Amino acid sequence: MGIQIYNTLSRKKENFVPIKPNEVSMYLCGPTVYNYIHIGNARSTVAFDTVRRYFEFRGYKVNYVSNFTDVDDKIIKTANQEGISTKELADKYIEAFKEDTGKLNVQPACLHPRVVDHIDDIIEFVSVLIDKGYAYESQGDVYYRTRLFKPYGQLSNKSIDELETGASQRTGTESAKKEDPLDFALWKEAKEHEVSWDSPWGKGRPGWHIECSVMATKHLGDTIDIHAGGQDLEFPHHENEIAQSEAKTDQTFAHYWMHNAYLTVGESGEKMSKSLGNFITAHELMKDVSPEVVRFALSTTHYRRPMPFNDTTIKEATTNLGRIKSSYNNASFRLETSVDSLENDHDWLKELSTLMMEFVTEMDDDFNAANGITVVYQLVKHLNRYLEEEMVSKEVISAYQETLEKLMLIFGIELANSEDLLDEDIDALISERNTARKEKNFARSDEIRDLLKEQGIILEDTPQGTRWSRSE
C-alpha cells in the first residue's frame, strides 16, 4: 500500500503519490524570528524533520523548504523596543533557531528562504492577482477578494456565513479600507518607523500570508506534494495561502496538507502558546534537560496527537531512551566476547525481518511514531535476550545493533555518537526512584536502579539520601 498521509484538506488518510517518482517536495511554515522558539514551535520542527527522515529511509529524495518570516508586526515592535533594526533582530533569532534546532538534531532544510530576499517576487505575485481581479489597491494597501475564491474555507472546514459573522464584528482603519470584511491584506502601507519597500502602490511591506505562497511556489513549483505546519496555521494562514496561490496559478497548490497538534500544559491540558504566556523556550529547557531527551520525547509521539509536556513526559523519555542506549552500548561490549558464527542460530534473521516489516507498517500509517517506537522497544527486548545468552554470534549482535541504530536515526537519535546521561537526568531519575520507594512501588524503583546501573551509574543509599557516582 505504501505511505498513507492524513490530509487535512480531505480529512482522511490518503495514499501518498508524489508528483515526481521517488521525490517529495515539502514546504514547512517556519518561525517568525522575534524571539527564541518555544517548545511548541520545536514540536512542529521536530515532527516534520522526523517525517522527512522517514521519507528518506523509505528511499525518497526530499526537497525540503522551510522559511524564516523576518518581516512582521511583532518583529517591528520588538526591534523598536530594543532600539535595533529589524534585520539585526531577525539575524539574531535566526542564529538562535539554528543553534537550538541543531541541538535537537534537526537537519537543516534544503533551503531556508527569507521574506526580505523575496520582496520583488511578492510585488510581482500581488500584481498578477490584481490583474486577474482577485485583488485591489485601497489607500496604499492591497487586499484579496476572498469571496471571489469559491473553495475558500475548504481546508479549515469553515463556511463563508460563519466567517462573515466573525469578520463583521471587526472595526478600525483597516476595515474601512476593505470592500468586504472578509478580505485580507496582501500588501500594507508603510507606517512611521516601519521598514518598507517601494511598490506600485506606494511604500509598504508584505502581508503575512502572501510570503509563504511566494516562497513555496518560487522554490518548489506551482504545485507541491506536501505543505506542513502547526494546527494553529490551518486558519487563516494556510487557507489564505491556498486562495492566493491557486488564484494566481490556476493549479492545485498542495496535494497533501499536514498539521501537527498542540503541546499542552497544566491539569486542564491548555495549549502552549506565546499569546497565553504559558510557554517555555527550547533554549531555556535545554539548559536543564538533555536535548537528546527532548528530541526523543517530541519525535516519538504521533504528530497529530496533542502532547502533554511536563515532568512526567521528560522522565519517561529519559527512562526509555536510557534503556535503548544501554542495550546498544551493551551490544558493543558483547561483540568483543561473541563467537564469529553458530550453525543453528538462523531464526534470528526471520525474527528481525518481521520486526522491520512491523516498523514500516506502523510508520507507513501516517508516520505513527508512537507505534513505531513500540516496535523499537520490541527489537531492544530481543537484542537483550541475545546479550544474555552464553553463546551468541557476532552476526546476530551486529545485525540487531545496526538495525537499532538505523531506526533510531529516523527519530533523530544518533546512537553511535550518543551522549551519556547528564547529571540532571540522573538526579531526575533518582528523585523518581525515591518517590517510587515511598509509594512502595518497588518494581519501578528497581527498574530505575537497574537502568542507572546499565549506564554505569552506581547508587549508594545513605541516611542522608541517595548518592551516586560514575563507574570507571
Side-chain angles (χ1 to χ4, degrees):
M1 184 181 293
I3 294 174
Q4 285 197 311
I5 297 176
Y6 181 87
N7 190 348
T8 307
L9 190 64
S10 64
R11 283 169 282 284
K12 64 181 181 182
K13 291 179 186 177
E14 300 176 5
N15 292 332
F16 177 68
V17 181
I19 297 168
K20 296 180 180 179
N22 303 314
E23 292 188 20
V24 182
S25 55
M26 187 171 177
Y27 184 89
L28 173 67
C29 282
T32 300
V33 283
Y34 69 100
N35 200 342
Y36 294 105
I37 57 169
H38 64 62
I39 196 64
N41 304 139
R43 183 189 188 183
S44 183
T45 305
V46 167
F48 293 113
D49 178 65
T50 305
V51 169
R52 174 190 182 179
R53 286 172 179 268
Y54 185 68
F55 269 124
E56 291 171 342
F57 169 81
R58 293 285 268 120
Y60 289 90
K61 176 184 177 183
V62 184
N63 190 1
Y64 190 85
V65 175
S66 183
N67 71 298
F68 291 121
T69 294
D70 55 354
V71 179
D72 173 86
D73 291 338
K74 294 172 184 175
I75 293 173
I76 292 169
K77 180 181 178 181
T78 304
N80 287 340
Q81 289 173 343
E82 296 189 12
I84 59 177
S85 69
T86 55
K87 183 179 186 306
E88 288 173 308
L89 184 80
D91 286 348
K92 171 184 175 181
Y93 287 113
I94 285 173
E95 288 307 308
F97 173 87
K98 291 178 179 178
E99 179 183 345
D100 290 340
T101 56
K103 290 179 180 177
L104 292 170
N105 204 23
V106 173
Q107 299 177 114
C110 301
L111 186 68
H112 280 293
R114 296 177 60 160
V115 177
V116 295
D117 297 326
H118 293 78
I119 299 299
D120 289 344
D121 300 308
I122 291 170
I123 290 171
E124 180 184 355
F125 197 114
V126 173
S127 297
V128 172
L129 290 175
I130 291 175
D131 292 342
K132 296 182 75 169
Y134 278 97
Y136 59 93
E137 187 272 337
S138 177
Q139 302 175 49
D141 291 349
V142 179
Y143 294 96
Y144 184 91
R145 291 188 171 100
T146 301
R147 288 183 195 274
L148 207 57
F149 187 72
K150 298 305 180 186
Y152 193 83
Q154 62 182 342
L155 180 70
S156 52
N157 201 23
K158 296 179 183 292
S159 68
I160 284 291
D161 291 340
E162 178 186 357
L163 296 170
E164 186 175 28
T165 300
S168 64
Q169 297 171 358
R170 293 195 291 267
T171 59
T173 305
E174 184 181 44
S175 296
K177 293 182 178 182
K178 297 179 181 181
E179 294 178 353
D180 187 313
L182 287 178
D183 297 346
F184 59 88
L186 302 173
W187 185 264
K188 296 183 177 183
E189 181 185 26
K191 298 177 182 177
E192 191 175 359
H193 305 304
E194 281 191 356
V195 62
S196 63
W197 291 266
D198 291 326
S199 80
W201 321 289
K203 280 189 171 295
R205 60 184 175 86
W208 174 34
H209 312 298
I210 195 69
E211 302 167 358
C212 286
S213 286
V214 169
M215 289 185 282
T217 55
K218 179 179 176 65
H219 297 294
L220 293 174
D222 289 347
T223 301
I224 65 177
D225 287 310
I226 298 171
H227 196 307
Q231 183 181 338
D232 56 320
L233 298 179
E234 280 183 37
F235 185 85
H237 185 54
H238 289 165
E239 197 75 70
N240 291 353
E241 279 191 65
I242 292 173
Q244 297 160 163
S245 303
E246 296 189 2
K248 176 181 181 289
T249 67
D250 296 315
Q251 304 290 325
T252 298
F253 180 34
H255 285 162
Y256 305 90
W257 287 85
M258 298 179 67
H259 294 92
N260 67 277
Y262 302 120
L263 280 186
T264 61
V265 293
E267 295 296 327
S268 61
E270 186 178 56
K271 180 188 80 168
M272 182 185 292
S273 73
K274 288 178 179 174
S275 61
L276 294 175
N278 61 359
F279 69 95
I280 179 172
T281 66
H283 193 78
E284 287 300 314
L285 178 67
M286 289 188 292
K287 290 179 180 179
D288 299 319
V289 180
S290 161
E292 200 174 41
V293 169
V294 177
R295 168 75 198 220
F296 183 77
L298 294 176
S299 63
T300 55
T301 302
H302 192 282
Y303 75 95
R304 284 195 294 113
R305 176 178 292 180
M307 178 183 174
F309 198 83
N310 48 40
D311 289 342
T312 300
T313 304
I314 293 299
K315 288 175 181 176
E316 289 179 353
T318 302
T319 300
N320 291 331
L321 179 57
R323 188 176 293 119
I324 292 168
K325 289 165 63 176
S326 176
S327 183
Y328 180 86
N329 292 334
N330 288 340
S332 296
F333 296 134
R334 189 61 200 274
L335 280 171
E336 299 174 6
T337 59
S338 55
V339 298
D340 289 335
S341 64
L342 289 173
E343 291 183 7
N344 300 316
D345 65 350
H346 298 297
D347 287 347
W348 68 267
L349 188 57
K350 180 179 179 182
E351 177 186 83
L352 186 57
S353 298
T354 299
L355 286 168
M356 282 294 290
M357 286 190 290
E358 290 176 2
F359 178 83
V360 169
T361 297
E362 298 295 354
M363 292 296 288
D364 275 1
D365 183 12
D366 194 32
F367 311 95
N368 195 329
N371 287 357
I373 197 65
T374 299
V375 178
V376 172
Y377 296 149
Q378 289 298 313
L379 189 149
V380 167
K381 183 178 178 180
H382 286 293
L383 174 56
N384 288 341
R385 189 187 75 232
Y386 287 116
L387 294 175
E388 292 171 2
E389 291 185 1
E390 185 176 347
M391 293 287 286
V392 63
S393 72
K394 286 183 169 64
E395 184 180 19
V396 174
I397 301 300
S398 293
Y400 268 88
Q401 187 185 44
E402 288 169 9
T403 302
L404 181 58
E405 183 176 345
K406 184 188 300 184
L407 297 187
M408 289 302 292
L409 273 175
I410 296 168
F411 300 108
I413 304 298
E414 297 183 8
L415 290 175
N417 302 311
S418 191
E419 62 188 30
D420 292 329
L421 286 175
L422 298 180
D423 289 0
E424 51 266 30
D425 298 329
I426 297 169
D427 290 336
L429 285 168
I430 291 173
S431 176
E432 185 183 354
R433 176 174 176 263
N434 290 338
T435 300
R437 292 172 75 190
K438 288 178 183 177
E439 296 174 351
K440 300 189 184 303
N441 184 354
F442 298 115
R444 178 60 178 151
S445 171
D446 291 345
E447 183 182 30
I448 294 172
R449 180 201 61 206
D450 293 342
L451 169 65
L452 289 171
K453 184 178 179 181
E454 290 170 352
Q455 291 288 311
I457 308 302
I458 308 301
L459 300 185
E460 180 185 1
D461 294 316
T462 74
Q464 293 75 36
T466 302
R467 297 172 180 170
W468 64 267
S469 60
R470 298 181 188 270
S471 61
E472 297 298 330

